[in-house]
Amino acid sequence: MDITTADKTRTQDACCAGAPPPSDATIAPGDTRFRIAAMDCIAEESEIRRALDRLPDIGRLHFDLPRRILTIAAPETVLPQVVAAIGRVGFKAVKIESADRVDPMPASGHDQSHSHSDEHGHEHADHGGAGMPRLVAALLFGIGAELLSFLAFDSTLSSIAGMGLAGIAIALAGFDTYRKGLTALRHGRLNINALMTVAVTGAFLIGQWPEAAMVMALYAIAELIEARAVGRARNAVKSLLAMAPEDAEVRQSDGRWLRVPADAVAVGSVIRLRPGERVPLDGVVSVGSGAVDESTVTGESLAVDKSPGDAVFSGTINQATALEIRTTARASDSTLARIIHAVEQAQGSRAPTQRFVDRFAAIYTPAVFVLAVAVAVSTPWLMDWTWSMALYKALVLLVIACPCALVISTPVSVVSGLASAARRGILIKGGVHLEAARNLKVLALDKTGTITEGRPQLVAFEVIDPDADEGRLRELVNSLAARSDHPVSVAISRGIDAAAHEVAEFAAFAGRGVSGLIDGAEYLLANHRWVEERGQCSPAVEARLRVHEAAGRSVSLLVGVGGVLALCAVADRIRPSAKAAIAELIRLGVRPVMLTGDNHATARTIAAEAGIAEVHAGLLPEDKLAVIADLQTRFGATGMAGDGINDAPALAKADIGFAMGGAGTNTAMDAADIVVMNDELPRIAETIRLSRRTHVVLWQNIGLAMGIKALFLLLAIFGNATMWMAVFADMGASLLVVFNGLRLLNVPTESGAGSVSGLPQGRPHGPA
């Protein structure tokens, strides 16, 4: 079983609408990139997405709107069908060869110069693009046309002049709208640009040329403001791309220091970091001690002390002293690169509310278009309107019908919520998980490394066999413990000052312990459960175990052929923030439950200290999986928080999996839906609060968009709504939902979350 995907489909829709683009280095083998010159808004992305949904064998999609690039995972044989499907909805897709250079996105997040490609995929400036100076000029010409109409000059010359000014305004502001609108109409699609093209052209032809000019100018200006506002949400975490230096000072084989590109530094190289410099690559401190600002990774402002053996992460800032670091990952595999990749994937995943809105908009727009045609054709007969009046009201309906506010109401809120979480060191792998977190009824928490610090210390070593030599027993224990990366084994090995012997046939058993041959004899370093399963737990051993377990200690037993030889007791402290975090979860209506492979007595002691009532102890990985299934049956939506390999199946099974990213294994982080980069439990409560606030904002936006549309639709049919009012209703609603969604970027940290600290230091990762 693939423990990263067990019992739950985790396919991420990676259509990253406006997310920071993947670098060429991070594009997966088999991916193909297309440049689509006319694709630069969410509505157009949705049209292309729907066209491709009908094709077989389509895998991951990544929409990079600022650069107008679509990355698609599909077999080579399907690519002609992809190009044809995109062409059928009115867009031209040009394949980008692997050798072609792709320029980075504009800093503003929306390139208003509107580039397009030729057959070779190269960009060219589109001189019809509508920048702000061009739009201001269009607005001035539109105002001039309005003034001529308002002053009511009756001369033919003034009418011709007014129409000329209106025509210039429409040409300046509406070039892109007309180009896209006419393309859409040729292919039978009723999108925003098609509706505006028909409405403005119709208004001009029936003599409402001043309104036609002002509507187009105001529409284009509002589109520009909206695009820049949405760009703020899309690029809220784009600054991560600039946090890792492009080069590093690397020690050469002859001892010299040479500055080379960071992506050329091999794993295991030694790099030098001066005070104030950013860390270019993940690594471990080899020389020097000092403080490092890890806020870019964990969201915490407090610097973390580093000494030889401690991990450092790319993008963090060395503060006061020089450090030498031995690299542990290439630039493309660094912690910062993984964060950027996770945010890219998350910003493109479509939340349930967004899918609902897309389906609704696909029905809503054609329905209103049919209504507008009905008004134009039937009202002269049914309501005794003039044909000119009926046509005008129909055109007003078309402007109001633009689904821009509705379509954009959800993605801007979801992206803002994801960006807000990422700034705090919480990586949410998609809008679906951001929305689902609000529904959690129960949260299962692994003990070691989640509730506790995960840095246990050896507090007692006892000889059980009176005939054995204590020095020899210590050597046997250290020989086995030194081969394991489990936190308990690491603590034992650190705490025992003894030589380590060669271990043959070493084996680790999840949830039980380790075994091996030392000098030809088999020994085990086992937990209480395994010793009982082997029938080697005597009354004397049981008595000693009860004493240590009652004190909240984890006990490992050295077992030989004849029975238990020695006892090692390890104690792990509860995290300082754990008690407040558990209390906050309870206040939020989420039931905390502890899961652990440790013994019952130790688990109950730790749970009581943390404020957790329900405890499941002595669990193997498959037992944790069964407990998650039981909790889902009893309570409903269930979350799981853990950091070890043996937590991965439960993380995958849970409705929402939270991985403790700073101390967690890669397996746990891959299996989880949400990664807490600084390991602190208060971040889980923050995530739930953010999820609930995002849900409120989403439905506020949908309500605003639909309410304003409904009001003006009624005014247009039964009242005196003008095209002016229609464009203000449409674009006003769009801007309103955008700025309402952007409020999520600045959600304050709740006081109940408790204090947080930086990443755990110097702890090898392993199963809890």
Side-chain angles (χ1 to χ4, degrees), residues 580-591:
I582 297 300
E584 181 65 15
L585 287 171
I586 295 172
R587 280 194 292 272
L588 291 171
V590 179
R591 179 185 179 92

Side-chain angles (χ1 to χ4, degrees), residues 659-743:
M660 299 293 111
T665 62
N666 289 340
T667 303
M669 287 188 280
D670 289 341
D673 304 300
I674 298 172
V675 180
V676 180
M677 292 305 298
N678 71 345
D679 294 346
E680 288 293 339
L681 283 180
R683 294 302 198 212
I684 297 179
E686 283 189 40
T687 303
I688 295 171
R689 281 193 300 270
L690 179 63
S691 173
R692 294 178 180 179
R693 184 158 184 174
T694 300
H695 179 75
V696 170
V697 170
L698 281 171
W699 285 100
Q700 283 177 348
N701 281 351
I702 292 171
L704 285 169
M706 293 303 300
I708 293 172
K709 295 289 184 187
L711 174 63
F712 279 87
L713 281 172
L714 292 174
L715 287 175
I717 297 174
F718 302 109
N720 296 310
T722 65
M723 195 168 288
W724 271 83
M725 295 170 63
V727 76
F728 276 118
D730 177 62
M731 299 317 300
S734 297
L735 296 178
L736 194 60
V737 299
V738 166
F739 290 119
N740 190 44
L742 289 177
R743 292 191 302 120

Side-chain angles (χ1 to χ4, degrees), residues 35-381:
R35 193 183 304 276
I36 305 175
M39 177 189 72
D40 61 5
C41 82
I42 292 171
E44 291 160 345
E45 175 208 325
S46 296
E47 292 180 34
I48 295 171
R49 188 202 307 275
R50 285 194 294 270
L52 297 181
D53 281 345
R54 306 187 186 100
L55 298 181
D57 301 323
I58 296 295
R60 184 177 67 89
L61 297 174
H62 182 286
F63 284 87
D64 176 8
L65 297 184
R67 298 193 301 174
R68 298 170 178 80
I69 292 174
L70 167 63
T71 302
I72 182 170
E76 189 73 26
T77 55
V78 179
L79 297 183
Q81 299 177 50
V82 170
V83 174
I86 295 173
R88 281 194 294 273
V89 292
F91 299 92
K92 181 180 180 182
V94 178
K95 184 178 178 182
I96 301 175
E97 300 301 332
S98 58
D100 289 350
R101 178 181 179 273
V102 181
D103 294 331
M105 79 171 82
S108 67
H110 188 85
D111 181 5
Q112 291 300 326
S113 65
H114 291 287
S115 61
H116 66 274
S117 348
D118 60 19
E119 286 71 18
H120 302 288
H122 303 300
E123 286 195 350
H124 300 278
D126 188 339
H127 299 292
M132 185 56 78
R134 184 183 296 271
L135 295 184
V136 170
L139 184 62
L140 293 176
F141 280 112
I143 292 172
E146 280 285 358
L147 288 174
L148 286 175
S149 175
F150 178 76
L151 295 174
F153 293 124
D154 294 329
S155 68
T156 303
L157 182 60
S158 65
S159 297
I160 294 174
M163 292 179 66
L165 292 176
I168 294 172
I170 293 171
L172 288 173
F175 180 87
D176 279 334
T177 301
Y178 266 92
R179 176 172 55 85
K180 295 175 183 178
L182 292 173
T183 300
L185 290 171
R186 280 200 307 271
H187 292 85
R189 293 182 290 113
L190 297 176
N191 61 14
I192 297 168
N193 296 300
L195 296 182
M196 288 300 300
T197 297
V198 172
V200 171
T201 303
F204 192 92
L205 293 177
I206 64 173
Q208 300 293 335
W209 37 266
E211 285 195 53
M214 291 301 294
V215 163
M216 184 59 80
L218 291 173
Y219 173 80
I221 291 173
E223 284 276 278
L224 178 59
I225 295 172
E226 175 190 297
R228 291 183 175 177
V230 173
R232 181 187 168 198
R234 290 173 178 167
N235 300 328
V237 292
K238 176 178 172 283
S239 56
L240 288 172
L241 291 166
M243 287 182 179
E246 295 182 353
D247 51 34
E249 195 174 12
V250 184
R251 188 168 64 195
Q252 306 300 300
S253 57
D254 59 1
R256 293 183 303 109
W257 294 94
L258 182 65
R259 192 164 290 277
V260 300
D263 56 9
V265 178
V267 175
S269 301
V270 176
I271 61 176
R272 183 166 63 184
L273 199 64
R274 303 178 189 276
E277 283 188 322
R278 287 191 180 271
V279 180
L281 300 156
D282 285 3
V284 175
V285 176
S286 57
V287 177
S289 298
V292 174
D293 177 1
E294 295 185 334
S295 59
T296 54
V297 173
T298 67
E300 298 305 321
S301 58
L302 294 178
V304 180
D305 291 332
K306 301 289 183 179
S307 57
D310 289 343
V312 292
F313 307 99
S314 62
T316 58
I317 303 173
N318 180 34
Q319 291 198 324
T321 60
L323 299 175
E324 291 184 18
I325 299 166
R326 186 171 298 278
T327 62
T328 56
R330 296 186 61 87
S332 58
D333 299 322
S334 68
T335 299
L336 188 61
R338 286 163 54 201
I339 291 174
I340 294 168
H341 179 68
V343 174
E344 288 172 358
Q345 299 287 354
Q347 288 189 332
S349 67
R350 303 202 306 160
T353 305
Q354 185 175 350
R355 290 194 293 269
F356 161 76
V357 167
D358 286 347
R359 289 194 299 269
F360 181 83
I363 300 170
Y364 161 82
T365 305
V368 177
F369 191 89
V370 171
L371 177 62
V373 172
V375 167
V377 173
S378 63
T379 51
W381 306 97

Side-chain angles (χ1 to χ4, degrees), residues 413-433:
S413 301
V414 170
V415 170
S416 296
L418 294 170
S420 178
R423 287 174 169 180
R424 302 159 188 258
I426 305 168
L427 300 185
I428 304 175
K429 299 179 182 179
V432 62
H433 308 306

